[in-house]
């Protein structure tokens, strides 16, 4: 069974930084993007080739870096203004200039530093990147009357080096208004498209290449091939970046950082903290202790699964704290969402600190920071959405630990690949995002009592079970139940009932910034509803949430 494509929002695929299944307890507070560029530097023992992508603010910039990595070459996305030294420091084998939203003639439009073209490495400009290249070298770029957005047709007049092996006529994806009318001196014009007189060009001698279309999106069928040509034939990269090479690289880096020090890691059961913990354990074994705080707000059997995977299967030293009653006590009488979040956050920190003190001399703390966190909080060009770093368990800054961040260089899909390579069970690798405050913010409008949480947990277990059986779990960004603080009248077995209402929330999304409600098949919904009502005594009505985001949020609180 699968959801139709129309159900999936059309925004470009992006890596998400929102999901660590409970890694953070805050609800999306933004931080300023004025972090120094040095924080972008990814500590690497340069074993694999690298290509730098300079970000001119295009909506597909991250995707370019991901595509390059998918082709087996490590890639970093840096803001366009970092300066030539930042690029040189990385000894990249090639440079890609991304697209961007500005017109090259707009006041304040980002300029291309000509020194970047003198690094002695091949440069590929894409869309805005190509226009900036052409303008810098004296070609002709002009604003066109008609823009070119979406699918277009590329006619190749000369394949040159960059388009070698691709057809004379091919589909490509465009998104621009400025257009190149004449290549700079020394360049060969390789082809045109419906609205672009020069849609591809190259100067093989100087190692400069440009394409107006987007090779990184799936709507450009020869895009991967063109990128491969650039990486392999033109830059001479070896395509050795893989989940296995990431593990080797990170294990070495962790050992070098930590030495014989003791390390602790807050484990939530989410994919980021799980993979981070396993990587650190692979590197330093029993020097690591994981702390799993079970706040009683998890889904059914989740705590047991985490303990079984880490303590029993991977033999990771694990302190599991059963703090359910502490948390439920803190939540007594509370119904306001932010009050619940704050109470849970504060209690979490207290429990974690107590455990850390018991462990004693730990100097290092593992954090599941992802590359998208790094880019979006430090590398903003003004175009990127800025989100907060998600601290493990929302831990305060003044905890005196040195951070170990083995996922700092990785996109979400790479974290999953590393998790799978390390043997993490599929259930954990593919877990849908789960908020830090857990089920407490899904018992809405009222107190999260043990009774209500148990009812919600039972309903949620049925939903997950049916969604998995229908083969839809991975297609959905999230699927969960909500239990509002209301009861409704029903009739069951000739008796009047007055029971709880369960709302089903299932959404598709690329990054949680926007979401659409999933068109779950009616038969599946019926099966879910009847199981909930038959199997859970307290429930007598099931409804479906059909609100997209915006205007709704994914969670109800
Ligand atoms: P909303 O409800 O704002 O959620 O559309 C966007 C994404 O964030 C998750 N979420 C949270 N994650 N702590 C978290 O770690 C929180 O307090 C929190 N609130 C929402 C939500 O599940 C969705 O994936």
């Amino acid at each position: 069974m699968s959801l139709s494509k129309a159900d999936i929002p059309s925004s470009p695929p992006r890596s998400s930084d929102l999901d660590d299944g409970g890694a953070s307890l805050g609800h999306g507070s933004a931080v300023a993007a004025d972090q120094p560029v040095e924080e972008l530097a990814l500590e690497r023992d340069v074993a694999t080739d690298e290509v730098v992508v300079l970000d001119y603010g295009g909506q597909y910039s991250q995707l370019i870096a991901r595509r390059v990595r998918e082709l087996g070459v490590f890639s970093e996305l840096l803001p366009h203004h970092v300066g030539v030294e930042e690029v040189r420091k990385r000894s990249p084998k090639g440079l890609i200039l991304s697209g961007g939203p500005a017109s090259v003639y707009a006041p304040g439009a980002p300029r291309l530093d000509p020194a970047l073209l003198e690094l002695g490495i091949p440069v590929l400009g894409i869309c805005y990147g190509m226009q900036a290249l052409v303008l810098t070298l004296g070609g002709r770029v002009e604003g066109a009357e008609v823009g070119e957005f979406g699918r277009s047709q590329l006619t190749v007049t000369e394949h040159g080096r960059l388009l070698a092996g691709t057809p004379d006529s091919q589909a490509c994806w465009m998104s621009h208004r400025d257009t190149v009318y004449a290549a700079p001196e020394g360049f060969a014009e390789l082809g045109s498209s419906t609205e672009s007189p020069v849609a591809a060009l190259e100067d093989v001698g100087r190692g400069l290449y440009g394409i107006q279309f987007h090779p990184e999106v799936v709507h450009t069928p020869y895009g991967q091939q063109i990128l491969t040509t650039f990486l392999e034939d033109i830059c001479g990269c070896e395509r050795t970046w893989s989940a296995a090479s990431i593990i080797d690289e990170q294990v070495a880096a962790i050992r070098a950082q930590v030495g014989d020090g003791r390390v602790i890691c807050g484990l939530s059961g989410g994919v980021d903290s799980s993979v981070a913990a396993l990587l650190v354990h692979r590197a330093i074994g029993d020097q690591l202790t994981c702390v799993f705080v079970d706040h009683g707000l998890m889904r059914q059997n989740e705590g047991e699964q985490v303990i079984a995977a880490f303590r029993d299967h991977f033999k990771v030293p694990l302190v599991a704290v059963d703090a359910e009653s502490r948390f439920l006590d803190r939540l007594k009488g509370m119904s306001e969402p932010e009050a619940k979040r704050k109470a849970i956050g504060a209690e979490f920190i207290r429990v974690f600190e107590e455990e850390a003190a018991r462990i004693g001399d730990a100097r290092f703390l593992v954090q599941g920071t992802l590359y998208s966190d790094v880019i979006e909080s430090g590398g903003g060009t003004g175009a990127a959405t800025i989100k907060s770093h998600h601290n493990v368990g929302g831990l305060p800054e003044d905890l005196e630990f040195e951070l170990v961040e083995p996922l700092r260089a990785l996109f979400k899909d790479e974290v999953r690949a590393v998790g799978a390579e390390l043997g993490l069970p599929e259930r954990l690798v593919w877990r849908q995002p789960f908020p830090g405050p857990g089920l407490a913010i899904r018992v809405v409008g009222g107190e999260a009592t043990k009774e209500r949480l148990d009812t919600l947990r039972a309903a949620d277990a049925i939903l997950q079970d049916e969604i998995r059986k229908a083969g839809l779990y991975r297609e959905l960004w999230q699927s969960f139940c909500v239990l509002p603080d209301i009861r409704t009248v029903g009739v069951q077995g000739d008796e009047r009932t007055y029971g709880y209402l369960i709302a089903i929330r299932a959404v598709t999304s690329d990054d949680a910034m926007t979401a659409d409600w999933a068109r779950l098949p009616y038969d599946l919904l019926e099966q879910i509803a009847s199981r909930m009502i038959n199997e859970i005594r307290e429930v007598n009505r099931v409804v479906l949430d059909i609100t997209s985001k915006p205007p709704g949020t994914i969670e109800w609180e």
Side-chain angles (χ1 to χ4, degrees), residues 508-531:
T508 54
S509 176
D510 289 321
D511 57 8
M513 302 303 289
T514 60
D516 196 9
W517 61 281
R519 273 58 167 178
L520 296 177
Y522 283 165
D523 291 347
L524 174 63
L525 288 168
E526 183 182 21
Q527 165 75 359
I528 292 168
S530 75
R531 273 195 64 192

Side-chain angles (χ1 to χ4, degrees), residues 526-544:
E526 183 182 21
Q527 165 75 359
I528 292 168
S530 75
R531 273 195 64 192
M532 285 180 188
I533 291 166
N534 291 340
E535 294 175 30
I536 312 170
R537 183 178 289 278
E538 294 79 6
V539 174
N540 69 349
R541 190 179 298 273
V542 178
V543 299
L544 177 68

Side-chain angles (χ1 to χ4, degrees), residues 15-170:
S15 162
S16 155
D17 63 349
L18 282 166
D19 158 30
D20 186 23
S24 132
L25 295 150
H27 201 213
S29 62
V31 293
D34 55 359
Q35 191 180 346
V37 166
E38 302 82 73
E39 286 197 25
L40 290 173
L42 301 169
E43 301 273 328
R44 304 182 63 229
D45 175 13
V46 185
T48 43
D49 289 339
E50 168 165 356
V51 163
V52 166
V53 178
L54 280 190
D55 182 7
Y56 285 87
Q59 59 174 331
Y60 300 124
S61 303
Q62 278 198 33
L63 190 56
I64 300 173
R66 283 174 59 194
R67 290 283 183 250
V68 171
R69 291 181 181 197
E70 274 167 28
L71 292 169
V73 177
F74 180 67
S75 175
E76 273 183 90
L77 183 66
L78 300 179
H80 63 83
H81 53 74
V82 285
V84 70
E85 277 319 307
E86 270 306 314
V87 178
R88 200 196 309 273
K89 221 158 75 182
R90 289 159 167 81
S91 311
K93 291 223 138 163
L95 181 63
I96 297 180
L97 315 172
S98 85
S103 157
V104 279
Y105 293 114
R111 292 268 163 245
L112 170 63
D113 177 358
L116 289 165
L117 308 180
E118 307 296 331
L119 285 166
I121 53 171
V123 177
L124 171 65
I126 295 174
C127 193
Y128 185 92
M130 156 162 145
Q131 295 164 7
L133 184 72
V134 168
L135 197 66
T136 306
L137 297 175
R140 189 153 70 90
V141 185
E142 280 171 26
E145 284 289 306
V146 184
E148 192 174 27
F149 298 96
R151 195 176 304 280
S152 188
Q153 200 64 23
L154 175 72
T155 305
V156 180
T157 44
E158 185 185 333
H159 287 84
R161 204 159 171 200
L162 187 62
L163 304 181
T166 66
D168 295 343
S169 177
Q170 52 187 292

